[in-house]
Amino acid sequence: MASFDALLEETGKELKTSLKPDRHRSCEISCPNKIHVHMQPHPHDESLLLIACTIAELPPGKYGENIMQAALRANHVTPPYRGIFAFSKKKNSLVLCDTLSMATLTGSSFAEIIGLLSEKAQRWREAINSGVLPLPETPAAGALPPSPFGLR
């Protein structure tokens, strides 16, 4: 993909909406599940794209600590293998984010990634809002996490 603007245009066509960067060169899409996915080119490397969504504000006390511990354990373990859980001190919230290579993205592949990210964020939001500790999902039988270098 050539540029952020072109990726947004192509992804907008896939999602049947208009996506345009704002004056800060970022864009936010509201998914049907009420998750807002923010995207922008990396400030120091235009070949990378940053995406993030806020899942929920963490409650004070032990439950909030347990949510954060579960999120950190789930990084790179929970299918779909998309997104990294992090903590936003500014918002006191659990965030799901990722860094993608613009060179390999198409409108179709990016639309799929947005869907996967928002679904994962929604599952965690529902658990947190229900007062339940989100549990990492287990891979399907025979499914293995992606290995570095493509080796099994």
Side-chain angles (χ1 to χ4, degrees), residues 25-78:
R25 298 226 354 100
S26 65
C27 183
E28 187 171 281
I29 184 168
S30 297
C31 297
N33 61 7
K34 307 272 192 281
I35 296 290
H36 302 281
V37 179
H38 176 87
M39 57 204 84
Q40 69 182 53
H42 191 288
H44 304 294
D45 185 348
E46 288 271 328
S47 71
L48 298 176
L49 179 67
L50 305 175
I51 58 172
C53 54
T54 301
I55 297 174
E57 186 173 341
L58 291 180
K62 191 67 175 169
Y63 179 57
E65 291 174 23
N66 289 342
I67 292 169
M68 199 63 223
Q69 287 175 351
L72 293 175
R73 278 193 299 270
N75 279 342
H76 300 293
V77 175
T78 305

Side-chain angles (χ1 to χ4, degrees), residues 77-131:
V77 175
T78 305
Y81 304 105
R82 180 59 60 207
I84 298 167
F85 292 103
F87 176 72
S88 168
K89 186 174 182 178
K90 183 177 180 180
K91 294 182 177 183
N92 188 44
S93 297
L94 182 64
V95 176
L96 186 61
C97 55
D98 212 340
T99 303
L100 308 169
S101 170
M102 294 264 282
T104 60
L105 286 176
T106 64
S108 176
S109 66
F110 189 44
E112 184 176 336
I113 289 168
I114 290 170
L116 291 172
L117 197 78
S118 71
E119 288 171 16
K120 189 173 183 176
Q122 181 62 25
R123 282 193 302 274
W124 278 71
R125 179 181 283 174
E126 288 173 355
I128 292 167
N129 290 342
S130 300

